[in-house]
Amino acid sequence: MTSSDLNSNLHSLLVGEFFVREALGTNPRLDVATIADPSTVSLWAFAYADVLRTVCLPRQRCLFDFAGLPGNGPPSPGYELQNFTHIGLPVGLLLCFAASSNLAVDSPGMTPDAVRLKAQGIEEWIRDWRPAVPDLGTLLDSSAYIDQTTTQEMWRQVGFLTFHSLNLS
């Protein structure tokens, strides 16, 4: 990827951010349970891109205020969608990336105990995450199942690396 490709992608994210802020306001609330359907695929894809942007560009806050982020109390009502994936990245782990990025931005204004408590919640969520139990149809193509499972486990390991690289624990 050349620097002009990177600039083009960054400009696309900035334009998308502008349109989201115009339509939904600053830091709009987003619940994964309400956007996991085909009619909102654009918003869904942009939310994923935004979270991945915050991982790649450190100390950036997510555009969206995701409901039920890890470290903020009990799991969100959409937690049962934790194994819904986009580009192989499960929603449950996407929420961990979002929570880690937001905590990295917020931590200077928080007490050490509050940071530690949130960080423990995020780390526990990543540690406890597991791929969905396969249904019979998935097991008919064992190589596809193994491919999905290893991809999701790789994302979980990336979650640990991202979390620990932010020095939040």
Side-chain angles (χ1 to χ4, degrees), residues 57-69:
L57 301 172
R59 305 289 180 198
Q60 298 287 318
R61 171 171 270 296
C62 293
L63 170 64
F64 296 99
D65 176 20
F66 289 96
L69 285 179

Side-chain angles (χ1 to χ4, degrees), residues 81-120:
L81 296 173
Q82 70 163 333
N83 289 299
F84 175 80
T85 64
H86 175 69
I87 62 168
L89 174 57
V91 171
L93 295 177
L94 176 85
L95 294 176
C96 292
F97 289 142
S100 297
S101 295
N102 288 348
L103 183 56
V105 172
D106 297 341
S107 62
M110 297 170 63
T111 66
D113 286 341
V115 172
R116 185 180 43 74
L117 191 62
K118 277 189 174 239
Q120 284 174 342

Side-chain angles (χ1 to χ4, degrees), residues 70-73 96 100 103 112-128 160 163-164 168-169:
N72 289 347
C96 292
S100 297
L103 183 56
D113 286 341
V115 172
R116 185 180 43 74
L117 191 62
K118 277 189 174 239
Q120 284 174 342
I122 296 167
E123 186 174 25
E124 182 178 316
W125 187 304
I126 296 170
R127 188 179 316 107
D128 293 345
F160 277 124
F163 174 78
H164 287 291
L168 299 171
S169 55

Side-chain angles (χ1 to χ4, degrees), residues 13 17 45-54 61-64:
L13 283 172
E17 182 176 336
F46 188 75
Y48 262 77
D50 179 59
V51 171
L52 293 176
R53 171 192 62 86
T54 67
R61 171 171 270 296
C62 293
L63 170 64
F64 296 99

